[in-house]
């Protein structure tokens, strides 16, 4: 099988699996889910690191560095705010125990 | 690192990410799920750093990683929960920027690029660019930098369609053309992509924002995934695709909840789609009557609301005859359902709502919250705002779960929500909200509505609940003031 076919198959399989799993997330958690997914979309940092390494010109390297900064903010802030949000969700029992 | 090893690592990390998402389906395990996803991402970055052969680029990459980390820690710690929609929008945009830069650099520096690499890089560049501009416009609108109301140019739909067409033509040209250089084509693609994203987002009103944000979330994932195809990076392809699927699913959920088709949101203005909105005096700016002491988040929302009205700090006037009712109604009610909308968020009334519900509960009443899927500015926004003030998540109920309970409920209290409880959605054929699923607040025994005014909501359809009714009490004005009035009667 050629590399192209494998990549396209992986794309389709990941789409289907992701769709199935995300369907199970209750709407209660849709905002954190979304910001978590948003952080994951920063996975593009892998690509930008790889091409920055290849870049020959200084302009290319600078553009690459800009891309890395952007993607990393996407990743770290995304996971950071998601974590902050998820920690805010308290159970009924939990809050009572804490306040007493 | 051999390719086989990298494939194995990719498979393991992709499964890790999927496990993280699986854990997100339960509120108790969700924080762990998020951390697993974050850990997988960290490992993926490390694997890439190990695998990549750096020739003189290392200082740039290290510097970029440091700057990025510092900036993001600062941003993540500072953002307020009401600002989450624009934060997500901004981060989406950065993801789009990174994907388009990765695509441009692939085309310009890659050696021995085949047709597959060039076409996927072109696609990633176009989608990345439209994600960037679309997200920035959306975030700007949410943050009040741009006006919230839809901005529609003459022949807007035609322009949007034309930009999309040019985008496709350029993508097709990239792998086959020789007369035009790759650099020129890339710049054109980036430009037209940015233009398309801008055209698309600039005419989205406040009401369609949750859909737009979800859609851009999806496109940022798709852009990353396709950039991964151009680079032959299997991990990038799989994780990007997962994000793409998630955004798409949320988009469809939002569209269903708002009774809108996806194509309507992308290619046509909400105002043009709503025949009733033009006849109704509906979403007019209220700045003239708003006292000066308003902050940015409030004025930004003067127009194009879906379910709620902007708020002011005016006290809520209650007619004397009703004043007496208020106390009796609250005292009589054993079961109470609160319906929050964006009006509550604008007035920052969550803390008072928490005090109010605590007091009701201490009197032995059952209190729950009914959350409409599109309440707020992004999916699940209300839940986050209520969780922030320590309201237990067990009390936050989804629409389908709580709708059957309304007929057995003594009292419903609406706080800054309008279209999502408008019974006209069930009856008024031909109006934009006809067929939209609503919370059946009108089925409850009694109803207290704490809205800013009785103007129709964003959809421009009059709400029959505002007509005089012995079982409905209107507390008009700022949500904070209205809740304080309620508190004083407990």
């Amino acid at each position: 099988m050629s590399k192209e076919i494998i990549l396209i198959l992986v794309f389709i399989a990941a789409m289907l699996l992701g769709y199935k799993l995300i369907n199970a997330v209750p709407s209660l958690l849709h905002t954190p889910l979304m910001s978590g997914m948003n952080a994951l979309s920063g996975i593009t940092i892998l690509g930008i690191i790889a091409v920055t390494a290849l870049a020959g010109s200084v302009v290319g390297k600078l553009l690459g560095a800009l891309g890395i900064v952007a993607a990393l903010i996407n990743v770290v802030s995304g996971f950071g705010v998601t974590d902050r949000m998820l920690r805010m969700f308290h159970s009924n029992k939990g809050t009572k125990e804490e306040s007493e | 690192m051999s390719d086989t090893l990298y494939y194995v690592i990719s498979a393991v990390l992709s499964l890790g990410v999927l496990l993280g998402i699986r854990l997100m389906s339960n509120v108790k395990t969700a924080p762990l799920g998020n951390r697993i996803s974050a850990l997988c991402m960290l490992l993926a970055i490390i694997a890439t750093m190990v695998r990549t052969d750096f020739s003189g680029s290392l200082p740039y990459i290290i510097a970029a990683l440091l700057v990025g980390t510092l900036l993001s820690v600062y941003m993540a710690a500072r953002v307020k929960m009401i600002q989450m929609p624009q934060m997500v929008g901004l981060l989406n945009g950065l993801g789009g920027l990174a994907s388009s830069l990765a695509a441009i650099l692939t085309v310009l520096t890659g050696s021995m690029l085949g047709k597959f690499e060039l076409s996927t890089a072109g696609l990633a560049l176009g989608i990345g660019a439209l994600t960037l501009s679309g997200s920035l416009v959306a975030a700007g609108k949410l943050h009040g930098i741009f006006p919230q109301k839809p901005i529609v140019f003459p022949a807007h739909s035609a322009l949007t369609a034309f930009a999309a067409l040019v985008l496709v033509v350029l993508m097709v040209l990239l792998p086959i053309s020789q007369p035009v250089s790759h650099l020129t084509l890339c710049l054109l693609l980036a430009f037209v992509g940015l233009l398309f994203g801008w055209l698309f987002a600039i005419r989205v009103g406040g009401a369609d924002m949750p859909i737009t944000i979800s859609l851009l979330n999806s496109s940022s994932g798709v852009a990353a995934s396709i950039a991964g195809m151009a680079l032959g990076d299997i991990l990038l392809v799989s994780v990007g695709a997962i994000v793409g699927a998630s955004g798409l699913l949320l988009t469809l959920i939002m569209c269903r909840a708002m009774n809108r088709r996806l194509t309507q949101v992308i290619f046509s203005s909400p105002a043009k789609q709503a025949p009733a909105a033009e006849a109704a005096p509906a979403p007019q700016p209220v700045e003239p009557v708003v006292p000066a002491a308003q902050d940015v988040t409030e004025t930004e929302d003067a127009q194009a609301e879906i379910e709620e009205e902007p708020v002011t700090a005016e006290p809520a006037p209650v007619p004397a005859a009703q004043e007496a009712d208020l106390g009796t109604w609250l005292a009589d009610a054993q079961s109470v359902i609160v319906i929050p909308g964006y009006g509550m968020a604008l007035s920052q009334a969550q803390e008072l709502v928490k005090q109010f519900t605590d007091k009701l509960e201490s009197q032995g009443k059952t209190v729950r919250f009914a959350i409409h899927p599109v309440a707020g500015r992004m999916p699940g926004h209300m839940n986050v705002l209520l969780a922030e003030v320590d309201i237990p998540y067990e009390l936050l109920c989804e629409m389908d779960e709580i709708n059957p309970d309304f007929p057995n409920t003594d009292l419903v209290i609406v706080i800054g929500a309008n279209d999502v409880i408008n019974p006209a959605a069930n009856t008024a054929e031909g109006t934009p909200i006809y067929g939209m699923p609503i919370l059946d607040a009108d089925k409850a025994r009694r109803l207290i509505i704490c809205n800013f005014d009785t103007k129709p909501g964003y959809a421009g359809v009059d709400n029959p609940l505002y007509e005089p009714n012995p079982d409905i009490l209107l507390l008009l004005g700022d949500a904070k003031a209205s809740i304080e009035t309620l508190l004083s009667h407990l």
Side-chain angles (χ1 to χ4, degrees):
Chain A
M1 228 179 345
S2 72
K3 200 178 82 182
E4 288 83 359
I5 309 270
I6 295 180
L7 290 172
I8 290 171
L9 285 180
V10 167
F11 179 78
I12 295 169
M15 273 262 185
L16 292 177
L17 271 172
Y19 194 91
K20 191 153 170 45
L21 283 175
I22 286 147
N23 227 342
V25 177
S27 67
L28 172 72
L29 291 176
H30 275 172
T31 293
L33 170 72
M34 200 168 204
S35 71
M37 289 299 115
N38 187 358
L40 277 181
S41 74
I43 189 78
T44 192
I45 192 168
L46 305 189
I48 191 92
I49 288 179
V51 291
T52 308
L54 292 176
S57 65
V58 173
V59 178
K61 286 174 188 170
L62 286 177
L63 280 180
L66 175 65
I68 293 176
V69 172
L72 198 63
I73 293 177
N74 191 180
V75 172
V76 180
S77 293
F79 282 123
V81 292
T82 309
D83 193 57
R84 245 182 83 189
M85 269 189 275
L86 288 172
R87 278 189 283 122
M88 293 183 333
F89 282 90
H90 283 295
S91 156
N92 215 346
K93 290 175 199 158
T95 43
K96 274 186 188 141
E97 278 160 20
E98 277 166 36
S99 58
E100 278 164 17
Chain B
M1 191 183 293
S2 73
D3 275 356
T4 321
L5 179 58
Y6 187 66
Y7 281 2
V8 173
I9 291 177
S10 298
V12 171
L13 292 182
S14 301
L15 287 176
V17 165
L18 288 170
L19 173 70
I21 298 171
R22 177 82 187 76
L23 293 174
M24 287 284 270
S25 57
N26 185 318
V27 74
K28 290 199 182 71
T29 53
L32 178 66
N34 182 53
R35 283 172 196 175
I36 290 180
S37 298
L39 179 69
C40 290
M41 181 72 95
L42 179 67
L43 293 176
I45 295 173
I46 292 173
T48 305
M49 295 291 283
V50 171
R51 179 172 171 251
T52 311
D53 172 27
F54 301 100
S55 47
S57 294
L58 197 57
Y60 291 87
I61 291 174
I62 302 283
L65 289 175
L66 283 176
V67 172
T69 311
L70 288 177
L71 281 176
S72 34
V73 169
Y74 175 76
M75 281 172 72
R78 267 203 43 176
V79 65
K80 295 200 192 81
M81 285 307 136
I82 191 169
Q83 299 169 327
M84 272 321 293
Q86 52 263 50
M87 177 77 173
V88 169
L90 177 66
L91 294 178
N92 266 338
L94 293 177
L97 172 68
S99 292
S100 30
L101 285 175
I104 291 182
L105 289 175
T106 308
V107 174
L108 298 184
T109 64
S111 49
M112 298 193 306
L113 292 171
K115 284 203 172 11
F116 180 77
E117 283 79 11
L118 282 172
S119 23
T120 45
L123 198 55
L125 172 53
I127 298 177
L130 73 87
T131 306
L132 171 61
S133 61
S135 300
L136 290 185
V137 171
K141 282 192 170 202
L142 287 164
H143 204 64
I145 300 169
F146 302 124
Q148 275 260 321
K149 66 174 166 66
I151 295 175
V152 186
F153 301 115
H156 202 127
S157 298
L159 269 176
T160 315
F162 182 68
L165 184 72
V166 174
L167 209 52
V168 172
V169 170
L170 288 170
M171 285 173 192
V172 173
L173 277 180
L174 189 63
I176 56 174
S177 81
Q178 285 316 312
V180 192
S181 78
H182 280 160
L183 178 64
T184 317
L185 276 175
C186 279
L187 291 177
L188 279 173
L189 259 174
F191 176 75
V192 181
L194 290 171
L195 184 71
F196 177 82
W198 179 70
L199 282 171
F200 155 61
I202 198 77
R203 72 162 164 195
V204 172
D208 284 334
M209 260 320 154
I211 297 181
T212 311
I213 295 278
S214 311
L215 194 61
L216 290 168
N217 194 21
S218 177
S219 68
S220 72
V222 171
S225 186
I226 295 175
M229 290 190 191
L231 287 159
D233 189 325
I234 203 158
L235 185 52
L236 193 42
V237 172
S238 68
V239 176
I242 294 171
V243 176
S246 121
L248 197 59
L249 182 63
L250 286 176
T251 309
L252 295 176
I253 291 175
M254 293 297 104
C255 281
R256 219 177 300 140
M258 287 184 65
N259 197 30
R260 285 173 66 71
R261 285 197 310 274
L262 188 53
T263 46
Q264 281 180 326
V265 180
I266 303 177
F267 286 107
S268 58
S269 128
K272 295 271 151 120
Q273 277 300 314
E278 275 158 350
Q284 283 301 312
V286 291
E287 274 98 333
V289 297
V290 172
Q294 294 296 303
D295 68 23
V296 193
T297 46
E298 288 172 46
T299 43
E300 85 184 14
D301 250 88
Q303 283 185 300
E305 286 297 286
I306 174 170
E307 72 261 54
E308 47 310 279
E309 308 291 349
V311 292
T312 72
E314 296 276 335
V318 190
Q322 296 194 343
E323 185 95 45
D325 287 345
L326 211 53
T328 353
W329 284 22
L330 286 169
D332 284 354
Q334 273 314 303
S335 50
V336 179
I337 293 178
V338 178
I339 301 180
Y342 197 58
M344 177 193 77
L346 278 181
S347 148
Q348 287 289 295
Q350 301 92 294
E351 199 57 60
L352 276 171
V353 170
K354 163 77 173 158
Q355 284 178 31
F356 175 64
T357 51
D358 277 355
K359 209 154 176 189
L360 287 176
E361 282 190 323
S362 70
Q363 298 178 354
K365 308 178 195 303
T366 58
V367 183
R368 285 181 298 165
F369 290 81
I371 316 276
H372 192 273
V374 291
R377 281 293 171 273
M378 69 186 289
H381 196 191
M382 283 300 132
N383 300 301
V384 172
L385 292 173
L386 293 173
E388 193 184 15
V389 293
D390 270 347
I391 291 174
Y393 59 81
E394 287 97 340
L395 302 184
L396 311 176
C397 305
E398 292 180 25
M399 180 169 65
D400 295 339
E401 175 192 346
I402 203 161
N403 259 348
D405 294 350
F406 277 107
N408 310 318
T409 300
D410 298 328
L411 182 62
V412 166
I413 299 172
V414 178
I415 307 170
N418 186 0
D419 284 345
V420 297
I421 53 157
N422 191 346
N426 296 327
T427 51
E429 263 179 78
T431 63
I433 60 169
Y434 179 66
M436 171 173 137
I438 57 158
L439 291 163
D440 297 328
D442 54 317
K443 303 238 164 65
R445 217 175 115 221
R446 282 162 171 171
L447 196 57
I448 298 177
I449 301 179
C450 309
N451 279 0
F452 175 65
D453 55 22
T454 55
K455 276 197 229 142
Y458 160 80
V461 182
D462 282 314
N463 193 332
L465 296 180
Y466 294 150
E467 284 157 20
N469 183 322
D471 290 326
I472 298 178
L473 228 159
L474 293 178
L475 279 181
L476 299 184
D478 175 48
K480 247 182 185 161
S482 303
I483 309 287
E484 264 166 21
T485 311
L486 289 177
L487 266 168
S488 67
H489 284 86
L490 269 177

